[in-house]
Amino acid sequence: MGLQEEFDEHAEKVKQLTKKPTDDDLLILYGLFKQATVGPVNTTRPGIFDLKGKAKWDAWKACEAKSKEEAMTDYITKVKQLIEADAAAATA
C-alpha cells in the first residue's frame, strides 16, 4: 500500500472514532490534512471575528514547512494515536 492510499484510508478511519477528538487534536489533523492535500496556505488569514476560521488557518500555517509526504505521514501517525486512545477508552 502506498502512502497516498494509507493516507486516504486513515482519513476515513478518523471519521469512525467513537469519541470525538479534542479541539486541539482536530486542529492538528486539519492542518496536516490541508498541508497534505492542498500544500502551503494559499489564503489570507480570516478576520478578527472568525475565531474558528483563524484557529484552522493557524493550524494549517503551522504545518507549512512540511512536505506533502511529511504531512501525510504525520497525519497517519496522529490518526493511529487517536484510534488507540479511542480503543483504550472503550475498554476502560
Side-chain angles (χ1 to χ4, degrees), residues 3-84:
L3 182 59
Q4 182 66 51
E5 291 80 16
E6 189 175 2
F7 174 79
D8 293 340
E9 179 183 319
H10 282 80
E12 287 304 313
K13 283 183 177 181
V14 77
K15 296 175 188 175
Q16 299 168 4
L17 293 172
T18 56
K19 183 180 173 212
K20 181 181 183 263
T22 66
D23 288 344
D24 288 341
D25 286 335
L26 288 172
L27 286 171
I28 291 167
L29 289 173
Y30 177 83
L32 291 169
F33 185 87
K34 290 293 276 187
Q35 186 66 20
T37 57
V38 178
V41 175
N42 59 3
T43 62
T44 58
R45 190 168 191 250
I48 192 166
F49 297 110
D50 184 1
L51 298 178
K52 184 177 180 180
K54 281 186 359 185
K56 290 168 74 173
W57 190 93
D58 289 345
W60 184 9
K61 183 76 171 169
C63 297
E64 192 171 48
K66 295 181 185 289
S67 69
K68 177 179 181 172
E69 292 76 19
E70 286 175 306
M72 283 185 180
T73 302
D74 289 354
Y75 182 90
I76 292 165
T77 300
K78 186 65 177 173
V79 172
K80 286 179 180 178
Q81 290 171 351
L82 292 172
I83 289 170
E84 287 175 13

